[in-house]
């Protein structure tokens, strides 16, 4: 009770001090405290270390992600946050973990292959050895030629993936020119890059792959090898497999150089033998997916039912430890709310952090959350009117350089003012553009203000995104520290405005149009 | 016999046509033929493919190198070269091959580790599992603390190796400024970069390592993990182990990120378990080392006893397939002599190609060869006077940009003239500087003109030199084609001069001073 009295007294002064005439004005007192906590007592790299090195890969449904639920919710409690929940969002399906991953070429000579079982495939459960066959099929007619000859074989199919020598740096930061270029509106939406031609090529390829896969099952193939996307020099990318195929074959994704060597040898008529010993485990005891939620209750009696959210997806791929995708974003959001709590800055609205899961399989955690939290029977519920904004982070380890307005011009003067505090950190680009591909879309899709930040790409596209090399080393500590400060500031400012952030008009039409 | 008559007639005209007043003048007819063969019928990438993808790693004493002896000597015969020999140079010692290479972290979670057994170490011969221990010793006193606690353990020692994010490109070519910079003489010799302080630091570290190694043996350590030099993102470097330790422990070299993750976990008090299953095989049936030699006999009766040599080391490291180190150089030298033979250009002196072995362990093949071929009882023999020059290639896959004079200023006008034909290929830098580290030193060391070319670095220092990623993909086909043409031209010109190339004065003094 004493706390509450003190709180009212404080609120009276704070409100006047910090939110004067312009209710979007920067609160320099709070900013000072946030920067002080975020620069001098930063825990962001310690949080990221726990999520990566210590907890490891966090594929949705895996043991790693369950450990991450426990550890992150434990941290939130330790930091004194309220309403900490590991909140089920629905059925995800079977969990899956890799228990052993070994593959090697044994003929024409021995050399281990860098690789890992494809997601949700079974293992070989013991050492197998088989002749490699290059199923060089461009059509279903080509496939037929291989019938009757694939039992017990290790099969590879044509790939356009190469591992070229890189005369450009893996990692880069945006130049001023590139940031300036982002401030113009894009005329076409992002789908337009997929021409009809490309779509039909894609469909044909998928059809051929499916037909091949069925034949491989019928024939009794021992294992499929794959390589997806570039990278190279020891880096390989992983991709989604079918999660619900009880007859799936053992399948591995391997380094492009090792894959293409086998293809070249077979194409020139050399015999290649491959051995493998892989083990995977499915988990069926709890097939639910969860989000981890925690709050700092709002301090203004008039506004504490309103909410500002920040979040990031906690789930990851499994060949690395999901350092930049998305321990980086999770650690920044955790650190941001820790800073807000620890620095004791005034927060009129409730601040809620969410760590999503199932993002990599289709934004499941956030999409299910917004449906149950903000919607009822396809229409906005009361909570829908009470959310001011959702800030998301899922663009890797790079420094924040600005923010995407997601088409909402009304936000420009507000965000411009807030970002003016971060000009010396190189973060002051406000672009009208949309960005997609992650959890803010779940909010934007139902007419709620959801945002992603512009971040320096670093080596996200070349080295880390969904790769075996998305490891702790790839985290840029200085960037993550800055990012937490910027996010904390944005959240604090949003929480303390007199009004909620302006929304786009005709939300549902807009959402359909996207 | 008919051939010989025709040959004398031909020689009469050729000599006058091609070697007029200036006997160093470029022979444009021959150059045309060399370029035609080298550009339009190039086999260099096919040769390189056979050496890498097909034959694989070629560690001295390994099965791969024996296969390479057979295949390269077979090619030389197929091309119609003379005096093809797989020539023993002396005892190398036991051969060694990797038969299985598997290592993984199993606690706190499962993740396979990228790695390979260290050269000439035994395997585990079956699956082993042990707790990882970070022997964080900076002195022998520190070591003592671990006594009695290492039986069956997997040990790691401190490393300064990091795997930083790379904001610079892996691969690069020399700029005009860099090439220009090379044309000035270096004042200090290469040893001066090692300060006394550095040498004593190095000695102390070696002493500590030796003491640690003895303790690990005494304790019964299950396996040692290592990481040497940078790289990262899936690339790791291999290093020389002891070749003659019958009590050597199983030891692996692993990717720096995977190594450092274990170190970080152990340093923070986490338990780490590692499992490994490695198998290596020693070969004792033939412990000799060999060089592969072949010739095009000289066509000038007065000069055919004189020799121009070209060569490269055929042996490689074993975690990749030695593509840039040194299938690239071997393929270029093989292609160069193939071009000379196939194009039928006049060659007054005998041209001899050598593919060395044991280079990576100390230039053994070339050093033993020059001793038996050019020396007797520590003094030059008759052959010593008959060698005009030796051209070597061992700087990776990059385009030739010029040549090192190895301090011999008398060669400048000659090489300048010859390289004038390659200005349009970007190769016309002639530098007085020495370069070291490979087989031309064996010749230079006994006062014979031995040369290396300036080559674009590409990703030699960052990605390929002694790494698991020194694979076929890293070869630059266009560069290798050009290089073979340049080498063939240099050899042709040298073979056809009236005199041998000028030598440095006071050869043995010079060689001692180096």
């Amino acid at each position: 009770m004493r706390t509450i009295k003190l709180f009212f007294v404080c609120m009276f002064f704070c409100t006047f001090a910090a939110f004067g005439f312009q209710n979007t004005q920067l609160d320099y007192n709070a900013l000072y405290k946030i920067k002080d906590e975020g620069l001098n007592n930063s825990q962001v790299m310690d949080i990221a270390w726990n999520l990566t090195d210590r907890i490891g890969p966090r594929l949705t449904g895996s043991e790693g992600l369950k450990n991450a639920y426990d550890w992150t919710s434990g941290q939130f409690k330790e930091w004194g946050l309220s309403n900490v929940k590991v909140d089920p969002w629905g059925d995800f399906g079977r969990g899956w973990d890799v228990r052993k991953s070994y593959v090697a070429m044994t003929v024409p000579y021995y050399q281990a292959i860098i690789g890992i079982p494809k997601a949700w495939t079974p293992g070989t459960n013991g050492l197998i050895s088989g002749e490699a066959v290059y199923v060089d099929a461009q059509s279903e007619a080509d496939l037929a030629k291989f019938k009757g000859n694939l039992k017990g074989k290790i099969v590879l199919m044509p790939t356009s993936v190469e591992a070229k020598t890189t005369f450009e740096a893996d990692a880069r930061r945006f130049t001023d020119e590139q940031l300036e270029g982002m401030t113009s509106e894009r005329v076409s939406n992002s789908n337009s890059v997929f021409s009809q031609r490309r779509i039909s090529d894609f469909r044909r390829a998928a059809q051929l792959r499916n037909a091949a896969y069925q034949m491989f099952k019928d024939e009794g193939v021992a294992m499929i090898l794959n390589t997806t996307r570039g990278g190279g020099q020891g880096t390989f990318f992983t991709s989604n497999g079918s999660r619900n195929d009880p007859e799936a074959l053992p399948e591995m994704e391997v380094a492009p150089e090792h894959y293409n060597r086998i293809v070249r040898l077979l194409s020139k008529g050399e015999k290649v033998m491959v051995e493998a010993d892989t083990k995977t485990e499915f988990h069926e005891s709890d097939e639910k997916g969860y989000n981890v939620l925690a709050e700092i209750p709002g301090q203004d009696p008039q506004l504490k039912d309103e909410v500002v959210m920040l979040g990031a997806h906690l789930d990851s791929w499994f060949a690395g430890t999901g350092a930049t995708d998305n321990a980086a974003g999770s650690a920044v959001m955790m650190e941001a709310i820790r800073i807000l709590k620890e620095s004791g800055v005034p927060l009129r609205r409730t601040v809620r952090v969410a760590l999503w899961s199932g993002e990599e399989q289709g934004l499941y955690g956030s999409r299910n959350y917004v449906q149950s939290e903000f919607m009822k029977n396809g229409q906005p519920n009361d909570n829908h009117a009470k959310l001011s904004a959702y800030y998301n982070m899922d663009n890797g380890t790079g420094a924040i350089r600005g923010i995407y307005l997601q088409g909402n011009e009304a936000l420009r003067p507000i965000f411009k003012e807030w970002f003016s505090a971060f000009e010396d950190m190189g973060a002051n680009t406000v672009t009208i553009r949309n960005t997609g591909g992650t959890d803010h879309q779940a909010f934007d899709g139902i007419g709620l203000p959801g945002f992603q930040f512009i971040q320096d790409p670093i080596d996200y596209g070349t080295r880390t995104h969904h790769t075996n090399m998305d490891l702790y080393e790839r985290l840029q500590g200085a960037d993550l520290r800055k990012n937490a400060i910027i996010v904390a500031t944005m959240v604090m400012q949003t929480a303390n405005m007199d009004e909620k952030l302006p929304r786009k008009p005709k939300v549902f039409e807009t959402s359909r149009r996207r």
Side-chain angles (χ1 to χ4, degrees), chain A residues 221-465:
Chain A
V221 152
M223 179 177 265
I224 301 167
L225 296 185
N226 266 316
T227 194
T228 54
R229 295 165 56 195
Q233 289 95 19
T235 303
F236 69 94
F237 291 79
T238 48
S239 57
N240 263 305
S242 164
R243 288 195 283 127
N244 295 302
D245 182 356
E247 289 168 351
L249 294 169
E251 190 165 352
M252 293 188 83
E253 301 196 276
V254 305
E257 289 93 340
H258 291 159
Y259 187 94
N260 286 334
R261 174 168 59 186
I262 299 175
V263 171
R264 287 189 298 264
L265 284 163
L266 294 172
S267 301
K268 297 203 184 194
E270 299 291 327
K271 181 177 174 172
V272 177
M273 296 287 290
V274 169
E275 67 178 22
D277 188 354
T278 62
K279 201 175 161 187
T280 64
E281 186 183 342
F282 288 90
H283 312 302
E284 294 174 347
S285 64
D286 176 5
E287 300 197 357
K288 285 199 283 294
Y290 297 85
N291 300 315
V292 181
L293 301 168
E295 292 182 348
I296 304 175
Q299 300 155 349
D300 183 333
Q302 306 301 315
L303 295 178
K304 72 187 171 62
D305 287 346
E306 292 186 0
V307 177
V308 181
M309 287 188 70
L310 68 166
H313 74 86
L314 186 61
D315 65 305
S316 77
W317 283 91
F318 58 95
T321 54
T324 69
D325 188 16
N326 187 22
S330 298
V332 164
M333 291 328 209
M334 289 176 75
E335 170 72 356
I337 200 164
R338 189 197 66 78
I339 291 171
L340 290 174
K341 176 73 185 171
E342 191 64 27
S343 63
V345 292
L347 295 168
R348 301 171 73 189
R349 287 180 182 77
T350 291
V351 171
R352 183 184 302 152
V353 67
L355 300 175
W356 315 113
S357 68
E359 192 273 350
E360 296 292 3
Q361 287 72 40
L363 322 186
Y364 292 147
S366 57
R367 280 189 170 148
N368 279 285
Y369 174 81
V370 300
Q371 283 301 322
S372 68
E373 181 71 15
F374 302 115
M375 303 288 282
K376 196 173 180 181
N377 302 327
Q379 290 299 316
N381 65 13
D382 289 351
N383 289 338
H384 192 281
K386 290 181 183 156
L387 186 83
S388 181
Y390 169 68
Y391 296 101
N392 190 68
M393 180 152 290
D394 186 21
N395 274 335
T397 190
I400 290 177
R401 305 300 299 274
I403 196 163
Y404 296 94
L405 294 176
Q406 297 294 126
N408 188 358
E409 195 62 59
L411 293 163
R412 189 187 295 277
I414 303 171
F415 284 176
K416 270 274 179 202
E417 179 167 358
W418 297 351
F419 267 102
S420 70
F422 303 112
E423 207 168 324
D424 63 344
M425 290 183 176
N428 61 340
T429 298
V430 175
T431 171
I432 191 64
R433 290 190 186 176
N434 279 314
T435 185
T438 184
D439 296 298
H440 69 294
Q441 287 188 298
F443 291 77
D444 196 54
I446 59 160
L448 290 171
F451 304 103
Q452 270 263 108
F453 297 91
I454 301 169
Q455 289 178 258
D456 278 332
I458 316 294
D459 48 3
Y460 194 67
T462 53
R463 283 276 157 219
T464 69
H465 180 236

Side-chain angles (χ1 to χ4, degrees), chain A residues 196-216:
Chain A
Q196 278 309 316
R197 173 70 182 277
R198 238 181 107 185
I199 291 169
S200 83
D201 282 358
F202 185 82
R203 277 205 193 116
R204 202 167 29 248
Q207 208 172 342
L208 179 64
R209 255 196 328 273
N210 290 342
Y213 196 60
Q214 189 54 52
M215 188 178 88
F216 296 161

Side-chain angles (χ1 to χ4, degrees), chain A residues 133-147:
Chain A
V133 176
Y134 181 43
V135 180
D136 187 8
Q138 304 298 337
S139 67
E140 293 187 42
D142 290 347
L143 275 181
K145 298 176 207 158
F146 293 89
K147 251 182 198 156

